[in-house]
Amino acid sequence: MDRIDRKILAELQQDGRLSVTELADRVGLSLSPCHRRLKALEESGAILGYHARLAPAALGLNFAALVFVTLREVTRQPVADFEAALGEIPQIVEAQRLFGDPDYLLHVVAKDLPAFQKLYDEQLTSIPNVKRLSSTLVMKEVIQDRVLPM
């Protein structure tokens, strides 16, 4: 990956809707070489995809919580079952496996506190292999979806 590839990635992080023509102009390439580099970056896995960033509050999701999860067992199958169950809960918008205790950090969105409580009581506590859940409320998003340094 060279300086031009990094410029392409930086521009796309700022605006993923750029046309290849606009992108080529911004990074100082002609259309064909820019398109080739873009395809190569996609095929290499450097670009994971393109998406729209949505405002949770505009969608009625005014509540966010971080949920820390400690598992009973951290062997292969119980971990796989737990992670598969996470994928079935759309209100979990981010999940990270951690070293040490706790085992996972979940970012959960909901309409409001009662909706979160229902999700917590009915779904999160029912996930296989959960030993302990601990949650904290998000007061404010300070840094969100920051672009990666190039």
Side-chain angles (χ1 to χ4, degrees), residues 76-97:
R76 184 177 303 171
Q77 195 57 52
V79 165
D81 293 345
F82 172 79
E83 291 180 0
L86 295 181
E88 300 299 316
I89 303 172
Q91 295 89 340
I92 299 172
V93 295
E94 194 171 336
Q96 298 168 317
R97 187 170 181 195

Side-chain angles (χ1 to χ4, degrees), residues 55-125:
L59 303 171
L61 300 169
N62 297 304
F63 187 88
L66 300 175
V67 179
F68 301 94
V69 181
T70 302
L71 300 180
R72 284 189 185 91
E73 282 185 73
V74 289
T75 55
R76 184 177 303 171
Q77 195 57 52
V79 165
D81 293 345
F82 172 79
E83 291 180 0
L86 295 181
E88 300 299 316
I89 303 172
Q91 295 89 340
I92 299 172
V93 295
E94 194 171 336
Q96 298 168 317
R97 187 170 181 195
L98 309 174
F99 280 106
D101 188 34
D103 298 306
Y104 286 85
L105 170 61
L106 312 178
H107 187 158
V108 179
V109 295
K111 178 181 152 199
D112 52 24
L113 179 58
F116 173 73
Q117 181 180 355
K118 182 177 180 185
L119 172 78
Y120 190 96
D121 292 344
E122 294 178 8
Q123 293 184 59
L124 297 179
T125 59

